[in-house]
Structure formats: C-alpha cells, structure tokens
Amino acid sequence: MAKKGDARVLIEMTCGDCKTHRYHSTKNKRNDTARLELTKFCPRCRQRRVYRETR
Ligand SMILES: [Zn+2]
C-alpha cells in the first residue's frame, strides 16, 4: 500500500529488445524525473537487456 505523501510512483520497465517482457517497479519522482533505463535479465531474450520505463 502506498503511503500518503509518498514521492514514489509505480512504473513499468519494458524490455527494449522484445518489448513484451515487463518488470514492475517504483521510482522516486523527485530523484528520477527523466525516464529510467535499467539493465535486467529478460527471460524471453534469455539475456540481459536494457529496460526502459514505459507508462
Ligand atoms: Zn526481452
């Protein structure tokens, strides 16, 4: 449950390669105003891929 006054927002990280696998995550909108990019393991690609924030 989200706390009131919390600066964290729910985001979706989508694999930039297959664009089908997603991770759900949260970010602090005060610290991260731009789009996030993370390298995570994609079970579809079976490799580490760059995940981009999608909404
Ligand atoms: Zn992928």
Side-chain angles (χ1 to χ4, degrees), residues 23-34:
Y23 279 106
H24 285 106
S25 185
T26 56
K27 74 166 185 179
N28 191 319
K29 62 183 174 189
R30 262 180 253 177
N31 295 338
D32 305 303
T33 49

Side-chain angles (χ1 to χ4, degrees), residues 14-22 40-51:
T14 309
C15 173
D17 208 71
C18 63
K19 293 183 172 69
T20 54
H21 187 256
R22 290 186 179 92
K40 284 175 172 283
F41 180 81
C42 176
R44 293 218 190 198
C45 303
R46 293 188 183 175
Q47 280 176 53
R48 297 198 312 167
R49 295 292 190 206
V50 175
Y51 278 72

